[in-house]
Structures are given as structure tokens and as C-alpha cells.
Amino acid sequence: MLIGVTAAVAAGILHELVSLLEHTGKYLQTRDFWFADIVFILLPLFGIILSYAAQRNLGGNRYAKSLSPLILSLNRRRTSIPLRETFSHVISSALSVGCGGSAGLEAPSVLTGAAIGANTAGFFGVDRRQKMLMIGCGAAAAISAIFQSPVGGVLFAIEVLLPEFSVAALIPMLISSAVALVVSRAVFQHEQALFFINPSWRLDAIPYYFLCGIVCAAVGVLVIKSVYFITSVIKKHLSSPGRKIFIGGILLCLILAAFPILRGQGYYFIIRLLHGDMGALLKNSPFTENLPIPLAATIIIAAAIILKAAVSALTVESGGDGGIFAPTMFIGAFTGFAFARLINLSGIAELQEENFIIVGMGGVFSAVLRAPLTGIFLIAEVTYSYVLLVPLMIVSSLSHAAARWFEPNSIYRKALAEADLLTEDRDQAMLRTLSVRVCITPEFTPLAPELTMKQLRTVIENAPKSDFFPVLDQDEQLLGIVQLEQITPVLFDHHFAETMLVFDLMSPARWILNEDDDLARAMNMLEHSSLEHLPVKNREGKFMGFVSGNDIFKLYRGIIRESSAY
């Protein structure tokens, strides 16, 4: 309950800051001063500059603007989140989105909620397993407060952040999410951003809902690929922060000036689309003001579907802060509308366009985030369209399944999977949660390379029982390994007692682990090397001890028991 209240207050402050900045931009847009239009056009650039300054001063050099680092940390059972993240994302994302940047507030809200959950759990001294649950509570509460979607918030935490949670863990997350909704409405008077009364769906439209799911899957894959393409281009050609901010920011301002429909989160334009107000969509666009309305509408809708993800990536990668939730829903709404309108214009059928706008949001959301349950209930709660649950189920599930054929990973997990940081293999995922430090056997008997066989026998007789001996130099650097089984014939041959040295018999250490390596890497090296033990060195290159396959297996069994109990 405490996490729910705190996350709701943080989300409410973020929402109010964005509203204040958006009203400032609208005020500039209505002024007659000659420089007001220039300031309004450049406002997203100013927002990016201020957002970047906030990130550097409040978040440090390792400021995370995506949920990917959080997903990776939770996947590896790391639950520590700096206290500054309980407020840094609120400020930076408000400046970026409120000034016209094309992004959503959901990812910053989730990161803020997760930080609130982690630090609250740390304050009360709960254990690591419960701390992960508290992080889920914070994330669910943040989604609930921002979207007015308590069930969607809980499902998002389960599907995206904490996929291994049991049914029993739903209860505290539901409580946190419900409390966040109550506080959001009671304190900030927030309501559904996309409230709309939909007509009931018709049976004759069912085949078209299936077809719409396929279209949403294709658009969702396009969103993922376009975001990663823009990200890679910016990282490759705009390496310095200054160039990213000014070149990327100026380009963003030009695109938003040409297509004002792409500014901000886009919820206003979704509402206008639901009400059939095409005039609001075409307003203030210099590219379409002199064109016939059908052609102008076609250009605007195509820009909404194709460019929204690109400008969202441009906003974030240029130095701003924000998420992909709102852009995804925006793209989905226009995708569903375009699909229904094309079918209606063809004369094949007469579809309810407003219904397809709603299910299109759920379809593209499920394809991009790979969270079909969240897509179904989040869209139903945000738009108050519970009457469309069955079409939402069809479109979201089919879109999710079809998108996996072309792009197996969600937008958050794609980079992690390509860098081999996340895997669908449950055993590998569990072993990656721990570093080799926890399995090092520190008791070892070091050997000097100049020892003779006679001296070596004395050392072995007085040493603890061991079959592996590291050969170290004066700086504790590993030179090689002596395996007792391999040197036994020579060790007890009196002909070599004084003439042969440890240096002559040691085997080179071809397989060496670093202390920061995870246990999955250790197991892979043990399998490929056919060895029973692997040496481990620290960051300075000094030998730390051995890791054995038996020790890793014992620890793995402990993790399995802990996970099952959880």
C-alpha cells in the first residue's frame, strides 16, 4: 500500500508537469509575436537540452532510459536501484515530453515505480525475493496511476518484468495497483485518457479482426526494426552528446513542424480519430494544407504509422527521455483505422472503424512489447472498452503469435538477446544470475615454478587433499596448472627428483575465468575444455581460486529450490 501511494504521487507529479509544459507550448502557438512560432517549433530541442542536463546531474553517466537494463537486472536477481531514480526520471521525461518530444511517459513511470519499490524494500530490510516482488508492485502501481489501469499494470509487471512470479504474488501487486488508482483519482482527479463509448462488435466482422491481427503484427515488427535502425544510425554517426542533441534535436523539430500530429504522446489525436474529427488531424500541417482532403488525410495517416516510432527513437536517442508505450498505442490506433477505412472504401464490408481503432491499439502493443494479456486489459481499461474484450483477445493474441515469426524478441529484449545477455533457456538464465565469485574454492596450495620434484612431494604431502595446484609467479599471476594425476609417474621417479622442475611439468592455463563472469559461461567453458576445475583471476589478473562443475551444480540445485518456493 505504501509503494502504491508513493508511486501514484510520483506519477501524478509527472503528469501535472507534462500538462503544465504542454499548456505553455499551446500558449506560444496562439501568440501573434513573430518569434512565438520559432520558439514553438524549437521547443522540443529546448526540452531535449534540459532533459539531458537533468539526466547528467541527477542520474549520472549510466542513466537508463529504457526498461531493458531493469529487465536484465531482474533476470539476474539484482534488485538494487539507486535512490535518485525515484525522482530523476520524473524530471527528465517531463521536460522532454512536455516540450513536445514524441515519446510516452510509461517507461519513465515504471522505472520510477520500480525504484520506489526497491528502495522501500531496502528501507524495511526485506530479503531479495520479496524485494523483487516490491519492484513489481512499484511498476504495477506506476502503470495503474498513469493509465488508470490497475489490472493492466499488474499484468505488465508479470509479463514483461517478472515472468517467473507465482499466482500468490499477484495479491500484493493487485493491492499496490489498486491503491495507486485510488490515490491518482482522489488527489489528482485523473481519469481515463482515452475514454470512449464503443458500439458492440458484430459477428460478421470476426474474419476481419483476424486479418487485422496479421496487419498489426507486421506494423509491430516495423516499429521494432525502425526504432533499432534509428538508434544504430545515431550511435554510429553522432557519437558525441553535443552532436546528438543539436543535430538529432533539429531534425526532430523539423519533422514535428511538418507533421504536428507526431508531437507529444498523441492521446489527443487518438481521441479525435475516435470521434472522426479529421480536421483536427490535418490542422497546422504545412505539407497538407493546400492538398485535397482525401490525399492530405492519406499522407497524415501514413506519417502517423510510419514516422511515429522513428521520431520517438529520435527523441530518446538525441538526449531526451521517454518510452514506447504511448507511441505504440498511437501507431496501433491509426493502423486499425487505416485497415477499417480501406475495407470500407473497397466495398467488401462495412466495418465499425472506431472498434478497429481500439483493437489496433491492442494488436500493435502486443506485437511490440510481446505482452498480449497486458495489451488486452490495458487497452480495455484505458478506453473503457470492455465490450470489445473478445475482438481484443483475437487481435492481440494473433498479432503476438504472428510477430514472433518475423522478430522473436520484444523491443525491450531484442538488444539483450542479440548481445547474448538474455536467453529463453531457463537453465542458462538461472546460471547467469550469479557470478563465479560465489562458487570459487579459495583454499589452494600455490606452487613456485622453480620447485623440484623432491620439493613438490613435500608440498603435496603437507597440503590439503587436492588434485589441482596453481603455479604462480611473485605477483600472484597464474603461469600454469599442475594436475596430480598427470605428474604422478614423474613425481615418484628418483631420476627426476632434482633435475625436473614444476615449470617443466605444468600445463598452460588455456581456459581462465574472470571474477565477473557468470556461471553460465563457466559451465560452457567446463563442457568445452573437458576439465573438472577452471582457474579464476580478478580484475588485476591475480589468481583467486578454482571453480568446479560439482560446486556449480550444487548451487544450481539451490536456485531451483528457491525459485520453486517463490
Side-chain angles (χ1 to χ4, degrees):
M1 292 177 67
L2 177 61
I3 291 171
V5 171
T6 311
V9 170
I13 292 173
L14 173 58
H15 190 277
E16 294 301 320
L17 286 173
V18 170
S19 296
L20 177 63
L21 291 169
E22 286 178 341
H23 281 105
T24 303
K26 291 177 181 177
Y27 174 81
L28 288 171
Q29 196 176 14
T30 59
R31 296 301 91 188
D32 295 330
F33 302 116
W34 65 270
F35 58 85
D37 288 339
I38 297 176
V39 173
F40 179 76
I41 291 173
L42 295 178
L43 199 58
L45 174 60
F46 299 148
I48 287 175
I49 294 172
L50 294 173
S51 177
Y52 179 77
Q55 295 166 33
R56 291 302 302 268
N57 288 283
L58 299 177
N61 294 326
R62 300 186 68 182
Y63 188 84
K65 294 184 284 188
S66 168
L67 295 185
S68 297
L70 177 61
I71 292 172
L72 179 61
S73 296
L74 294 177
N75 185 267
R76 298 192 172 184
R77 305 297 195 276
R78 298 169 185 168
T79 57
S80 296
I81 302 177
L83 180 63
R84 61 177 178 266
E85 294 202 19
T86 58
F87 58 87
S88 59
H89 291 285
V90 171
I91 298 172
S92 64
S93 61
L95 290 168
S96 182
V97 178
C99 290
S102 184
L105 300 174
E106 300 75 26
S109 298
V110 169
L111 292 170
T112 300
I116 290 171
N119 285 278
T120 303
F123 178 81
F124 287 103
V126 303
D127 61 32
R128 185 184 64 184
R129 293 186 300 165
Q130 296 298 325
K131 195 173 183 180
M132 290 186 68
L133 177 56
M134 297 301 104
I135 290 174
C137 289
I143 292 293
S144 176
I146 283 287
F147 275 122
Q148 304 296 290
S149 173
V151 177
V154 172
L155 291 173
F156 172 81
I158 293 172
E159 285 190 298
V160 177
L161 298 181
L162 308 170
E164 293 185 2
F165 264 58
S166 64
V167 175
L170 284 171
I171 297 172
M173 284 194 285
L174 284 169
I175 292 173
S176 182
S177 186
V179 168
L181 177 65
V182 172
V183 172
S184 176
R185 290 192 177 182
V187 178
F188 298 98
Q189 286 81 46
H190 291 165
E191 298 292 341
Q192 274 85 357
L194 300 174
F195 179 80
F196 185 76
I197 305 284
N198 284 85
S200 298
W201 55 276
R202 302 197 310 259
L203 280 173
D204 60 344
I206 289 295
Y208 298 98
Y209 285 120
F210 279 93
L211 184 58
C212 183
I214 302 297
V215 173
C216 289
V219 172
V221 172
L222 175 65
V223 168
I224 295 174
K225 293 189 178 300
S226 61
V227 166
Y228 275 86
F229 174 76
I230 295 296
T231 301
S232 62
V233 168
I234 291 177
K235 288 181 178 179
K236 181 178 180 181
H237 297 288
L238 302 176
S239 55
S240 67
R243 295 182 67 188
K244 285 182 181 179
I245 291 173
F246 288 102
I247 297 178
I250 291 296
L251 180 59
L252 174 66
C253 291
L254 293 176
I255 297 175
L256 296 182
F259 299 103
I261 194 174
L262 302 177
R263 290 180 72 97
Q265 301 178 78
Y267 293 140
Y268 168 79
F269 294 106
I270 296 176
I271 285 290
R272 294 297 93 211
L273 190 66
L274 284 167
H275 287 282
D277 185 3
M278 295 302 298
L281 304 182
L282 304 178
K283 189 177 179 181
N284 298 325
S285 178
F287 277 175
T288 59
E289 59 183 0
N290 296 320
L291 296 176
I293 291 180
L295 178 58
T298 302
I299 294 174
I300 291 295
I301 293 170
I305 297 173
I306 298 171
L307 293 180
K308 183 64 173 178
V311 294
S312 297
L314 191 60
T315 300
V316 176
E317 293 302 323
S318 296
D321 193 5
I324 197 66
F325 269 51
T328 298
M329 293 166 62
F330 179 90
I331 294 169
F334 279 86
T335 299
F337 171 79
F339 173 83
R341 178 58 62 91
L342 286 174
I343 295 295
N344 289 340
L345 290 176
S346 69
I348 300 175
E350 185 65 32
L351 302 180
Q352 299 158 303
E353 293 178 353
E354 55 269 61
N355 286 2
F356 278 83
I357 292 171
I358 299 297
V359 299
M361 293 165 63
V364 176
F365 183 95
S366 299
V368 174
L369 277 76
R370 303 299 158 84
L373 288 176
T374 306
I376 294 167
F377 286 94
L378 181 69
I379 302 303
E381 289 180 306
V382 167
T383 60
Y384 224 72
S385 301
Y386 299 101
V387 70
L388 296 180
L389 273 177
V390 171
L392 278 168
M393 291 166 63
I394 293 172
V395 174
S396 294
S397 58
L398 186 59
S399 176
H400 171 267
R404 288 178 63 90
W405 281 90
F406 305 101
E407 175 53 61
N409 298 296
S410 72
I411 195 166
Y412 293 131
R413 300 175 73 95
K414 179 177 172 63
L416 299 175
E418 290 180 351
D420 198 30
L421 296 174
L422 281 183
T423 177
E424 296 296 328
D425 189 320
R426 190 167 182 264
D427 294 336
Q428 289 281 321
M430 285 191 173
L431 290 174
R432 286 179 176 180
T433 63
L434 296 172
S435 69
V436 297
R437 295 189 199 94
V438 299
C439 263
I440 294 176
T441 304
E443 294 82 11
F444 58 87
T445 302
L447 303 178
E450 63 272 11
L451 287 180
T452 64
M453 290 300 98
K454 182 178 180 180
Q455 293 171 321
L456 179 59
R457 285 200 302 269
T458 303
V459 171
I460 292 175
E461 289 171 358
N462 297 321
K465 185 178 180 181
S466 177
D467 295 329
F468 287 78
F469 298 88
V471 182
L472 308 180
D473 61 13
Q474 295 180 349
D475 297 325
E476 300 182 34
Q477 304 283 330
L478 183 65
L479 300 176
I481 298 173
V482 171
Q483 299 183 49
L484 188 59
E485 181 182 348
Q486 295 179 356
I487 67 166
T488 299
V490 178
L491 183 63
F492 295 99
D493 191 328
H494 67 278
H495 294 292
F496 302 110
E498 300 291 345
T499 60
M500 187 165 286
L501 305 178
V502 166
F503 181 83
D504 301 318
L505 292 178
M506 70 179 186
S507 302
R510 297 189 181 91
W511 305 85
I512 303 177
L513 290 166
N514 295 310
E515 62 173 332
D516 295 322
D517 289 336
D518 56 53
L519 293 183
R521 177 175 172 80
M523 285 300 295
N524 289 334
M525 289 181 67
L526 285 167
E527 291 176 3
H528 286 89
S529 65
S530 300
L531 297 174
E532 297 179 5
H533 296 75
L534 288 176
V536 182
K537 64 180 181 180
N538 62 17
R539 295 185 183 95
E540 290 74 34
K542 295 182 179 181
F543 178 76
M544 297 180 65
F546 288 102
V547 168
S548 71
N550 287 334
D551 291 338
I552 295 176
F553 180 69
K554 290 178 183 177
L555 186 64
Y556 172 77
R557 291 183 62 188
I559 296 174
I560 291 291
R561 286 195 298 269
E562 177 183 334
S563 177
S564 299
Y566 200 18

